[in-house]
Amino acid sequence: MNNNTLTLGFLGFGQMGSAIASGLSRFSSRASDGTLRMTAFTPHPEKLRERIASLGLEGRVVPCASAEELAEGCDLLLLAVKPYQAEEAAAGIREKLAGKAVISVVNAMGQEDLSRIFGPDVRTQYVMPNTPMKAGAGVALFEEETSLTAEELSLAKELFESIGTVLTLPGRLMKAAASLTGCGPAFFFMAVEALGDAGVKNGLKRTDAYRMAAATMAGAGRLLLETGAHPGELKDGVCSPGGTTIRGVAALEEDGFRAALIHAVDATLK
């Protein structure tokens, strides 16, 4: 790092990479005080420039002409390519990364895989984030096994904590946890859509119904996190004897609501 400025290089700038960059540009104190510089490379420079522009990141994320330029110029590299692209991508820049640290958000490629494809001269860390990072409200799962130095690990966690909640787990639990946090947003969006349909069915404007459902779920999640209460306890607090909510809960139970969510998570692990 030069003059306390951290250069974070994104190798890959798809949904996850761009979500992280967007979140950091809005919520990281390093971005606000100018000590975070972000660069990016993909094999399709025109598409990269278009994506940067569409996200309002012009001037915040600088495109690089090659993966080698990206690797040579960054202090910390964030690997955000597809799993089948990871080995080839690592092979092309391994020498440029010697003595540096890599944060990989490549799905299902843990520390053992990263150590193998990058070799002993590159320090690595597997992180599984989710797309709500873009809104500063994501979850980042750090694999317990790592070859980062204590300072590098602290820095990586600082960056991700600015855009979400950071949890550290042993490698054997990463897959199950990633199903909850990585796939969970899709299940949440389906629930919001369904609640919105219910609102429209009963006379509400669709945009209003979606906003109500999303805000209600966001508030419920925040209440759960802040109180640390059991979710069943908070649910019981909304259910008056013989009231409307308990009738809705009973209907959900009849339709297998809990079982459907459990089945959905199980399906992602197959």
Side-chain angles (χ1 to χ4, degrees), residues 118-143:
F118 280 102
D121 295 329
V122 181
R123 297 181 294 279
T124 54
Q125 170 72 56
Y126 174 42
V127 178
M128 193 67 248
N130 61 8
T131 54
M133 293 271 167
K134 184 176 182 179
V139 176
L141 306 173
F142 274 61
E143 185 176 22

Side-chain angles (χ1 to χ4, degrees), residues 33 65 88 137 151 154 204 209 224 233 238 256:
D33 66 17
E88 183 178 352
E151 182 181 2
S154 177
L204 295 175
L224 180 61
E233 178 185 347
V238 187

